[in-house]
Amino acid sequence: MKPDTIIELNHGAGGSLMDTFLKSLLGIYQTKSIGGGIGVDELDDGATIPLSGNQTLIISSDSHTIDPIFFPGGDLGMLAAVGTINDVVMMGAKPIAITCALLIEEGTIYSTVEKILSSFAQVCEENNVAIIAGDTKVLPKGQVDRMYMSTTGIGLRQSPNIIGDNQIKVGDKIILTGPAGLHGASLIARREGINLQTELESDVAPLVKMLLPIAETGAVHAMKDPTRGGLGSALNEFAEKSGVGLLLEEEHIPIHPEVNGICELLGLDIYSLSSEGKAIMAVEAEKADDILKEICKDPSGQEARIIGEAIDKYHGKVVMRTTIGGHRLLRKSLGEPIPRVC
Amino acid sequence: MKPDTIIELNHGAGGSLMDTFLKSLLGIYQTKSIGGGIGVDELDDGATIPLSGNQTLIISSDSHTIDPIFFPGGDLGMLAAVGTINDVVMMGAKPIAITCALLIEEGTIYSTVEKILSSFAQVCEENNVAIIAGDTKVLPKGQVDRMYMSTTGIGLRQSPNIIGDNQIKVGDKIILTGPAGLHGASLIARREGINLQTELESDVAPLVKMLLPIAETGAVHAMKDPTRGGLGSALNEFAEKSGVGLLLEEEHIPIHPEVNGICELLGLDIYSLSSEGKAIMAVEAEKADDILKEICKDPSGQEARIIGEAIDKYHGKVVMRTTIGGHRLLRKSLGEPIPRVC
């Protein structure tokens, strides 16, 4: 990027502008991985550090700056814990510990901080994740918007199989574990003051119990939670990094009618809206049906579907067979339609 | 803390108000350590996770929000790398990797981000620390002040000896590796526009090469870098956590005349000013002189001194024998005189 480029919101919104920005930033760093593990260059959900005895350590870092800090279906604390825990799970690892650095705006009421951290602690406790370290900074009024949380998740993977965005093989089936875009749509609805007949809520939820046993079988080649940039960005990353084409069946992609309605009303691309409790998975074809059955047993996986497959064509691209029988390219979104969704 | 307490700057400034705040926050968390390691409750420089084969993993998290982001002697990127690397070293571990989550204000010029991250990368590279993971968020104008960095350092300790704030034994000598308060004083001077005859600079510097070989000998019982809250807070934590008294010789504490001058001019307590490239260490008495000699060989350790010892009296307190022969209690400061020094 040119030195005098002005950083815009879309440079952090999960789309193609962010890709350009991140590539520039990563060019500044020098040593970016350790012991042959996955490093920051891979832009995966986390990094890996090989340990002795076939163990792998997983490290995943995130900042959470969602606005508003209390939203339908969750709050900042819940999102911070879920987001980081899920990133560790997406690498096929059991999350064991988390750290939490808080930025708090001067003038915030203690009970607000207490509520947010209680949510954070509850998610961690329910998923057997210890909160082992942290940092707390209070900033002058106006230099932070109420409260941000930066978290680092630590996980251990015992199995030697590698799960990574670049591990997808031709023939793999693509599973989406539930309806797309609920988190993003619920936040937009809330901010735009759209009054819906049913209460649309964020899908923020940890995926440890649903996905970790499946990931440990070795049949999962890649997993990703479609957060910033939504399904469009996540699927394109799969295709680009693995060098395969992805052919999707649009009619198989689970979408809630309320989310559809909001997208039509506001002219939004549903595939750019984020989820915070869903995963896309590339799995061995012959095991796909069994895996789908397992996922559907989980309360938050009941609407999971096989939405497509990896093919030896359209390499690095995502192509959607539309409901009217045509084909269209699903591009990475330019950015999330609204910032601060995560 | 009462639910309706309004969070003030001093709740994050490293002194006794911060202690109260942190105790409340830690009361919200449930599982706070893992496998018998040091957890968040200990408020040490980092947490430990015991691994197989006598290895220990060290994890340390920090947010860096310094204002201004370019200051005499360094910048935000340098501070973020140094601060986190030093925290890992303070636990007696070799820093191997770091993660970096960026919060950037919309409208920031790319070259600013580039400069900051170049400093960050340079410190990491010089200390053999790989930048393995990260996150980048761009926030709307006014919701972050230019740029904050949240970092997590990962270290490995091979030796079985424990270094921790609670490991100090009566008779241990206390070493300070150089003059106190340079970082805090230089920032105050810059902000207050004080024109000094000599250019006072932050002491921000990594301590890996100077202190890691010494820490690995087993003769160091506790180490701490006196950042937020300065020497007063760090020494009081030593005394409280180890249950010993600390008797200091005021005339042995190295202080630069410029720092003294600024403190007199502005009525500041020098022992509340932060350092970013110094350590206090509690070491075995009979090895103290040898350790001091080793430290003095390092360019940034030439002014190191033995400043006192741990005694079986004044338990949990820090007492200073003043230059005029009296004794006074060195209390934990209420907070850093200025916020956003780290």
Side-chain angles (χ1 to χ4, degrees), chain A residues 266-296:
Chain A
L266 300 173
L268 299 175
D269 171 20
I270 191 166
Y271 302 113
S272 73
L273 293 179
S274 59
S275 302
E276 287 289 349
K278 301 293 177 288
I280 50 166
M281 307 161 74
V283 305
E284 279 178 31
E286 56 271 32
K287 293 183 183 156
D289 288 331
D290 289 344
I291 289 174
L292 185 66
K293 267 183 214 154
E294 277 305 304
I295 292 171
C296 288

PDB file of all heavy atoms in Angstrom, chain A residues 266-296:
ATOM      1  N   LEU A 266     -32.729  -3.669   2.815  1.00  0.00           N
ATOM      2  CA  LEU A 266     -31.597  -2.738   2.859  1.00  0.00           C
ATOM      3  C   LEU A 266     -30.627  -2.923   1.693  1.00  0.00           C
ATOM      4  O   LEU A 266     -29.606  -2.234   1.617  1.00  0.00           O
ATOM      5  CB  LEU A 266     -30.845  -2.885   4.187  1.00  0.00           C
ATOM      6  CG  LEU A 266     -31.676  -2.602   5.452  1.00  0.00           C
ATOM      7  CD1 LEU A 266     -30.882  -2.942   6.695  1.00  0.00           C
ATOM      8  CD2 LEU A 266     -32.121  -1.134   5.496  1.00  0.00           C
ATOM      9  N   GLY A 267     -30.944  -3.847   0.813  1.00  0.00           N
ATOM     10  CA  GLY A 267     -30.065  -4.075  -0.341  1.00  0.00           C
ATOM     11  C   GLY A 267     -28.711  -4.635   0.042  1.00  0.00           C
ATOM     12  O   GLY A 267     -27.687  -4.245  -0.521  1.00  0.00           O
ATOM     13  N   LEU A 268     -28.691  -5.540   1.015  1.00  0.00           N
ATOM     14  CA  LEU A 268     -27.418  -6.108   1.470  1.00  0.00           C
ATOM     15  C   LEU A 268     -27.186  -7.470   0.840  1.00  0.00           C
ATOM     16  O   LEU A 268     -28.124  -8.187   0.493  1.00  0.00           O
ATOM     17  CB  LEU A 268     -27.438  -6.279   2.994  1.00  0.00           C
ATOM     18  CG  LEU A 268     -27.616  -5.024   3.834  1.00  0.00           C
ATOM     19  CD1 LEU A 268     -27.743  -5.399   5.295  1.00  0.00           C
ATOM     20  CD2 LEU A 268     -26.440  -4.087   3.618  1.00  0.00           C
ATOM     21  N   ASP A 269     -25.918  -7.827   0.729  1.00  0.00           N
ATOM     22  CA  ASP A 269     -25.536  -9.154   0.253  1.00  0.00           C
ATOM     23  C   ASP A 269     -25.473 -10.091   1.452  1.00  0.00           C
ATOM     24  O   ASP A 269     -24.630  -9.931   2.335  1.00  0.00           O
ATOM     25  CB  ASP A 269     -24.164  -9.062  -0.431  1.00  0.00           C
ATOM     26  CG  ASP A 269     -23.602 -10.437  -0.755  1.00  0.00           C
ATOM     27  OD1 ASP A 269     -24.385 -11.406  -0.802  1.00  0.00           O
ATOM     28  OD2 ASP A 269     -22.374 -10.531  -0.955  1.00  0.00           O
ATOM     29  N   ILE A 270     -26.358 -11.063   1.471  1.00  0.00           N
ATOM     30  CA  ILE A 270     -26.423 -11.969   2.628  1.00  0.00           C
ATOM     31  C   ILE A 270     -25.107 -12.705   2.851  1.00  0.00           C
ATOM     32  O   ILE A 270     -24.745 -13.035   3.979  1.00  0.00           O
ATOM     33  CB  ILE A 270     -27.586 -12.970   2.465  1.00  0.00           C
ATOM     34  CG1 ILE A 270     -27.811 -13.703   3.779  1.00  0.00           C
ATOM     35  CG2 ILE A 270     -27.347 -13.952   1.340  1.00  0.00           C
ATOM     36  CD1 ILE A 270     -29.107 -14.436   3.839  1.00  0.00           C
ATOM     37  N   TYR A 271     -24.358 -12.933   1.771  1.00  0.00           N
ATOM     38  CA  TYR A 271     -23.115 -13.702   1.902  1.00  0.00           C
ATOM     39  C   TYR A 271     -21.962 -12.866   2.456  1.00  0.00           C
ATOM     40  O   TYR A 271     -20.840 -13.335   2.592  1.00  0.00           O
ATOM     41  CB  TYR A 271     -22.743 -14.347   0.561  1.00  0.00           C
ATOM     42  CG  TYR A 271     -23.851 -15.240   0.060  1.00  0.00           C
ATOM     43  CD1 TYR A 271     -24.571 -14.929  -1.098  1.00  0.00           C
ATOM     44  CD2 TYR A 271     -24.222 -16.370   0.771  1.00  0.00           C
ATOM     45  CE1 TYR A 271     -25.610 -15.730  -1.535  1.00  0.00           C
ATOM     46  CE2 TYR A 271     -25.262 -17.186   0.351  1.00  0.00           C
ATOM     47  CZ  TYR A 271     -25.947 -16.856  -0.805  1.00  0.00           C
ATOM     48  OH  TYR A 271     -26.984 -17.657  -1.223  1.00  0.00           O
ATOM     49  N   SER A 272     -22.243 -11.594   2.746  1.00  0.00           N
ATOM     50  CA  SER A 272     -21.222 -10.774   3.395  1.00  0.00           C
ATOM     51  C   SER A 272     -21.531 -10.579   4.887  1.00  0.00           C
ATOM     52  O   SER A 272     -20.770  -9.942   5.607  1.00  0.00           O
ATOM     53  CB  SER A 272     -21.125  -9.406   2.711  1.00  0.00           C
ATOM     54  OG  SER A 272     -22.247  -8.619   3.052  1.00  0.00           O
ATOM     55  N   LEU A 273     -22.648 -11.132   5.344  1.00  0.00           N
ATOM     56  CA  LEU A 273     -23.042 -10.954   6.747  1.00  0.00           C
ATOM     57  C   LEU A 273     -22.403 -12.025   7.631  1.00  0.00           C
ATOM     58  O   LEU A 273     -22.356 -13.199   7.279  1.00  0.00           O
ATOM     59  CB  LEU A 273     -24.564 -11.027   6.880  1.00  0.00           C
ATOM     60  CG  LEU A 273     -25.365  -9.901   6.225  1.00  0.00           C
ATOM     61  CD1 LEU A 273     -26.857 -10.139   6.429  1.00  0.00           C
ATOM     62  CD2 LEU A 273     -24.965  -8.550   6.802  1.00  0.00           C
ATOM     63  N   SER A 274     -21.991 -11.603   8.811  1.00  0.00           N
ATOM     64  CA  SER A 274     -21.227 -12.505   9.664  1.00  0.00           C
ATOM     65  C   SER A 274     -22.097 -13.444  10.492  1.00  0.00           C
ATOM     66  O   SER A 274     -23.243 -13.148  10.818  1.00  0.00           O
ATOM     67  CB  SER A 274     -20.341 -11.685  10.608  1.00  0.00           C
ATOM     68  OG  SER A 274     -21.145 -10.848  11.392  1.00  0.00           O
ATOM     69  N   SER A 275     -21.510 -14.577  10.819  1.00  0.00           N
ATOM     70  CA  SER A 275     -22.057 -15.519  11.791  1.00  0.00           C
ATOM     71  C   SER A 275     -21.092 -15.571  12.965  1.00  0.00           C
ATOM     72  O   SER A 275     -19.906 -15.298  12.793  1.00  0.00           O
ATOM     73  CB  SER A 275     -22.163 -16.913  11.185  1.00  0.00           C
ATOM     74  OG  SER A 275     -22.979 -16.889  10.036  1.00  0.00           O
ATOM     75  N   GLU A 276     -21.588 -15.911  14.140  1.00  0.00           N
ATOM     76  CA  GLU A 276     -20.686 -16.064  15.283  1.00  0.00           C
ATOM     77  C   GLU A 276     -20.901 -17.391  16.011  1.00  0.00           C
ATOM     78  O   GLU A 276     -20.435 -17.586  17.123  1.00  0.00           O
ATOM     79  CB  GLU A 276     -20.842 -14.887  16.263  1.00  0.00           C
ATOM     80  CG  GLU A 276     -20.253 -13.570  15.776  1.00  0.00           C
ATOM     81  CD  GLU A 276     -18.723 -13.526  15.732  1.00  0.00           C
ATOM     82  OE1 GLU A 276     -18.072 -14.446  16.272  1.00  0.00           O
ATOM     83  OE2 GLU A 276     -18.180 -12.568  15.130  1.00  0.00           O
ATOM     84  N   GLY A 277     -21.611 -18.307  15.353  1.00  0.00           N
ATOM     85  CA  GLY A 277     -21.824 -19.613  15.975  1.00  0.00           C
ATOM     86  C   GLY A 277     -21.995 -20.684  14.915  1.00  0.00           C
ATOM     87  O   GLY A 277     -22.673 -21.687  15.136  1.00  0.00           O
ATOM     88  N   LYS A 278     -21.418 -20.440  13.759  1.00  0.00           N
ATOM     89  CA  LYS A 278     -21.516 -21.392  12.647  1.00  0.00           C
ATOM     90  C   LYS A 278     -20.122 -21.696  12.123  1.00  0.00           C
ATOM     91  O   LYS A 278     -19.199 -20.898  12.305  1.00  0.00           O
ATOM     92  CB  LYS A 278     -22.351 -20.795  11.492  1.00  0.00           C
ATOM     93  CG  LYS A 278     -23.772 -20.412  11.886  1.00  0.00           C
ATOM     94  CD  LYS A 278     -24.626 -21.608  12.241  1.00  0.00           C
ATOM     95  CE  LYS A 278     -26.014 -21.190  12.699  1.00  0.00           C
ATOM     96  NZ  LYS A 278     -26.005 -20.566  14.046  1.00  0.00           N
ATOM     97  N   ALA A 279     -20.025 -22.821  11.436  1.00  0.00           N
ATOM     98  CA  ALA A 279     -18.756 -23.157  10.793  1.00  0.00           C
ATOM     99  C   ALA A 279     -19.014 -23.660   9.395  1.00  0.00           C
ATOM    100  O   ALA A 279     -20.071 -24.242   9.124  1.00  0.00           O
ATOM    101  CB  ALA A 279     -18.020 -24.218  11.602  1.00  0.00           C
ATOM    102  N   ILE A 280     -18.060 -23.404   8.502  1.00  0.00           N
ATOM    103  CA  ILE A 280     -18.044 -24.140   7.231  1.00  0.00           C
ATOM    104  C   ILE A 280     -16.918 -25.156   7.338  1.00  0.00           C
ATOM    105  O   ILE A 280     -15.872 -24.892   7.928  1.00  0.00           O
ATOM    106  CB  ILE A 280     -17.839 -23.240   5.988  1.00  0.00           C
ATOM    107  CG1 ILE A 280     -16.643 -22.298   6.170  1.00  0.00           C
ATOM    108  CG2 ILE A 280     -19.085 -22.450   5.667  1.00  0.00           C
ATOM    109  CD1 ILE A 280     -16.214 -21.656   4.867  1.00  0.00           C
ATOM    110  N   MET A 281     -17.176 -26.334   6.814  1.00  0.00           N
ATOM    111  CA  MET A 281     -16.217 -27.424   6.950  1.00  0.00           C
ATOM    112  C   MET A 281     -16.035 -28.101   5.600  1.00  0.00           C
ATOM    113  O   MET A 281     -17.001 -28.284   4.866  1.00  0.00           O
ATOM    114  CB  MET A 281     -16.756 -28.470   7.930  1.00  0.00           C
ATOM    115  CG  MET A 281     -17.159 -27.882   9.275  1.00  0.00           C
ATOM    116  SD  MET A 281     -18.270 -28.991  10.189  1.00  0.00           S
ATOM    117  CE  MET A 281     -17.108 -30.246  10.714  1.00  0.00           C
ATOM    118  N   ALA A 282     -14.808 -28.471   5.293  1.00  0.00           N
ATOM    119  CA  ALA A 282     -14.538 -29.303   4.116  1.00  0.00           C
ATOM    120  C   ALA A 282     -14.197 -30.684   4.653  1.00  0.00           C
ATOM    121  O   ALA A 282     -13.232 -30.838   5.406  1.00  0.00           O
ATOM    122  CB  ALA A 282     -13.382 -28.727   3.315  1.00  0.00           C
ATOM    123  N   VAL A 283     -15.021 -31.674   4.285  1.00  0.00           N
ATOM    124  CA  VAL A 283     -14.853 -33.009   4.876  1.00  0.00           C
ATOM    125  C   VAL A 283     -14.740 -34.072   3.782  1.00  0.00           C
ATOM    126  O   VAL A 283     -15.215 -33.881   2.655  1.00  0.00           O
ATOM    127  CB  VAL A 283     -16.033 -33.354   5.828  1.00  0.00           C
ATOM    128  CG1 VAL A 283     -16.199 -32.272   6.891  1.00  0.00           C
ATOM    129  CG2 VAL A 283     -17.336 -33.533   5.051  1.00  0.00           C
ATOM    130  N   GLU A 284     -14.146 -35.205   4.134  1.00  0.00           N
ATOM    131  CA  GLU A 284     -14.044 -36.344   3.204  1.00  0.00           C
ATOM    132  C   GLU A 284     -15.429 -36.707   2.692  1.00  0.00           C
ATOM    133  O   GLU A 284     -16.363 -36.880   3.484  1.00  0.00           O
ATOM    134  CB  GLU A 284     -13.465 -37.554   3.932  1.00  0.00           C
ATOM    135  CG  GLU A 284     -11.960 -37.520   4.060  1.00  0.00           C
ATOM    136  CD  GLU A 284     -11.437 -38.737   4.832  1.00  0.00           C
ATOM    137  OE1 GLU A 284     -12.066 -39.812   4.748  1.00  0.00           O
ATOM    138  OE2 GLU A 284     -10.413 -38.581   5.518  1.00  0.00           O
ATOM    139  N   ALA A 285     -15.540 -36.883   1.374  1.00  0.00           N
ATOM    140  CA  ALA A 285     -16.852 -37.086   0.758  1.00  0.00           C
ATOM    141  C   ALA A 285     -17.611 -38.282   1.354  1.00  0.00           C
ATOM    142  O   ALA A 285     -18.787 -38.159   1.728  1.00  0.00           O
ATOM    143  CB  ALA A 285     -16.686 -37.275  -0.750  1.00  0.00           C
ATOM    144  N   GLU A 286     -16.907 -39.395   1.507  1.00  0.00           N
ATOM    145  CA  GLU A 286     -17.620 -40.610   1.940  1.00  0.00           C
ATOM    146  C   GLU A 286     -18.070 -40.541   3.401  1.00  0.00           C
ATOM    147  O   GLU A 286     -18.903 -41.330   3.832  1.00  0.00           O
ATOM    148  CB  GLU A 286     -16.786 -41.874   1.668  1.00  0.00           C
ATOM    149  CG  GLU A 286     -15.402 -41.901   2.288  1.00  0.00           C
ATOM    150  CD  GLU A 286     -14.374 -41.273   1.339  1.00  0.00           C
ATOM    151  OE1 GLU A 286     -14.719 -40.348   0.577  1.00  0.00           O
ATOM    152  OE2 GLU A 286     -13.215 -41.704   1.384  1.00  0.00           O
ATOM    153  N   LYS A 287     -17.512 -39.597   4.156  1.00  0.00           N
ATOM    154  CA  LYS A 287     -17.925 -39.485   5.556  1.00  0.00           C
ATOM    155  C   LYS A 287     -18.867 -38.312   5.782  1.00  0.00           C
ATOM    156  O   LYS A 287     -19.310 -38.051   6.906  1.00  0.00           O
ATOM    157  CB  LYS A 287     -16.697 -39.350   6.449  1.00  0.00           C
ATOM    158  CG  LYS A 287     -15.871 -40.637   6.451  1.00  0.00           C
ATOM    159  CD  LYS A 287     -14.690 -40.575   7.376  1.00  0.00           C
ATOM    160  CE  LYS A 287     -13.885 -41.870   7.256  1.00  0.00           C
ATOM    161  NZ  LYS A 287     -12.487 -41.688   7.657  1.00  0.00           N
ATOM    162  N   ALA A 288     -19.178 -37.572   4.729  1.00  0.00           N
ATOM    163  CA  ALA A 288     -19.935 -36.323   4.867  1.00  0.00           C
ATOM    164  C   ALA A 288     -21.322 -36.548   5.477  1.00  0.00           C
ATOM    165  O   ALA A 288     -21.756 -35.793   6.352  1.00  0.00           O
ATOM    166  CB  ALA A 288     -20.043 -35.637   3.511  1.00  0.00           C
ATOM    167  N   ASP A 289     -22.012 -37.589   5.026  1.00  0.00           N
ATOM    168  CA  ASP A 289     -23.364 -37.813   5.540  1.00  0.00           C
ATOM    169  C   ASP A 289     -23.350 -38.150   7.032  1.00  0.00           C
ATOM    170  O   ASP A 289     -24.184 -37.667   7.792  1.00  0.00           O
ATOM    171  CB  ASP A 289     -24.055 -38.932   4.739  1.00  0.00           C
ATOM    172  CG  ASP A 289     -24.438 -38.465   3.336  1.00  0.00           C
ATOM    173  OD1 ASP A 289     -24.697 -37.244   3.172  1.00  0.00           O
ATOM    174  OD2 ASP A 289     -24.452 -39.298   2.417  1.00  0.00           O
ATOM    175  N   ASP A 290     -22.395 -38.983   7.427  1.00  0.00           N
ATOM    176  CA  ASP A 290     -22.294 -39.334   8.847  1.00  0.00           C
ATOM    177  C   ASP A 290     -21.976 -38.093   9.692  1.00  0.00           C
ATOM    178  O   ASP A 290     -22.532 -37.893  10.772  1.00  0.00           O
ATOM    179  CB  ASP A 290     -21.196 -40.384   9.062  1.00  0.00           C
ATOM    180  CG  ASP A 290     -21.621 -41.744   8.515  1.00  0.00           C
ATOM    181  OD1 ASP A 290     -22.835 -41.923   8.271  1.00  0.00           O
ATOM    182  OD2 ASP A 290     -20.745 -42.610   8.326  1.00  0.00           O
ATOM    183  N   ILE A 291     -21.054 -37.275   9.193  1.00  0.00           N
ATOM    184  CA  ILE A 291     -20.681 -36.058   9.931  1.00  0.00           C
ATOM    185  C   ILE A 291     -21.887 -35.130  10.040  1.00  0.00           C
ATOM    186  O   ILE A 291     -22.166 -34.576  11.107  1.00  0.00           O
ATOM    187  CB  ILE A 291     -19.494 -35.354   9.229  1.00  0.00           C
ATOM    188  CG1 ILE A 291     -18.219 -36.198   9.419  1.00  0.00           C
ATOM    189  CG2 ILE A 291     -19.292 -33.942   9.755  1.00  0.00           C
ATOM    190  CD1 ILE A 291     -17.004 -35.685   8.657  1.00  0.00           C
ATOM    191  N   LEU A 292     -22.622 -34.985   8.935  1.00  0.00           N
ATOM    192  CA  LEU A 292     -23.810 -34.133   8.953  1.00  0.00           C
ATOM    193  C   LEU A 292     -24.807 -34.618  10.008  1.00  0.00           C
ATOM    194  O   LEU A 292     -25.377 -33.812  10.755  1.00  0.00           O
ATOM    195  CB  LEU A 292     -24.463 -34.124   7.562  1.00  0.00           C
ATOM    196  CG  LEU A 292     -25.645 -33.179   7.406  1.00  0.00           C
ATOM    197  CD1 LEU A 292     -25.190 -31.722   7.521  1.00  0.00           C
ATOM    198  CD2 LEU A 292     -26.346 -33.388   6.058  1.00  0.00           C
ATOM    199  N   LYS A 293     -25.007 -35.936  10.079  1.00  0.00           N
ATOM    200  CA  LYS A 293     -25.930 -36.503  11.075  1.00  0.00           C
ATOM    201  C   LYS A 293     -25.494 -36.144  12.493  1.00  0.00           C
ATOM    202  O   LYS A 293     -26.302 -35.782  13.333  1.00  0.00           O
ATOM    203  CB  LYS A 293     -25.975 -38.037  10.932  1.00  0.00           C
ATOM    204  CG  LYS A 293     -27.098 -38.518  10.024  1.00  0.00           C
ATOM    205  CD  LYS A 293     -27.142 -40.039   9.973  1.00  0.00           C
ATOM    206  CE  LYS A 293     -27.584 -40.486   8.589  1.00  0.00           C
ATOM    207  NZ  LYS A 293     -27.092 -41.822   8.226  1.00  0.00           N
ATOM    208  N   GLU A 294     -24.178 -36.256  12.743  1.00  0.00           N
ATOM    209  CA  GLU A 294     -23.642 -35.923  14.068  1.00  0.00           C
ATOM    210  C   GLU A 294     -23.918 -34.461  14.402  1.00  0.00           C
ATOM    211  O   GLU A 294     -24.331 -34.116  15.508  1.00  0.00           O
ATOM    212  CB  GLU A 294     -22.125 -36.165  14.112  1.00  0.00           C
ATOM    213  CG  GLU A 294     -21.715 -37.600  14.376  1.00  0.00           C
ATOM    214  CD  GLU A 294     -22.343 -38.163  15.646  1.00  0.00           C
ATOM    215  OE1 GLU A 294     -22.163 -37.550  16.711  1.00  0.00           O
ATOM    216  OE2 GLU A 294     -23.040 -39.206  15.554  1.00  0.00           O
ATOM    217  N   ILE A 295     -23.645 -33.587  13.434  1.00  0.00           N
ATOM    218  CA  ILE A 295     -23.835 -32.146  13.653  1.00  0.00           C
ATOM    219  C   ILE A 295     -25.307 -31.843  13.948  1.00  0.00           C
ATOM    220  O   ILE A 295     -25.633 -31.044  14.832  1.00  0.00           O
ATOM    221  CB  ILE A 295     -23.336 -31.342  12.426  1.00  0.00           C
ATOM    222  CG1 ILE A 295     -21.810 -31.458  12.319  1.00  0.00           C
ATOM    223  CG2 ILE A 295     -23.746 -29.878  12.510  1.00  0.00           C
ATOM    224  CD1 ILE A 295     -21.223 -30.888  11.043  1.00  0.00           C
ATOM    225  N   CYS A 296     -26.191 -32.515  13.197  1.00  0.00           N
ATOM    226  CA  CYS A 296     -27.625 -32.245  13.361  1.00  0.00           C
ATOM    227  C   CYS A 296     -28.156 -32.672  14.736  1.00  0.00           C
ATOM    228  O   CYS A 296     -29.221 -32.220  15.163  1.00  0.00           O
ATOM    229  CB  CYS A 296     -28.433 -32.936  12.260  1.00  0.00           C
ATOM    230  SG  CYS A 296     -28.213 -32.150  10.649  1.00  0.00           S
TER     231      CYS A 296
END
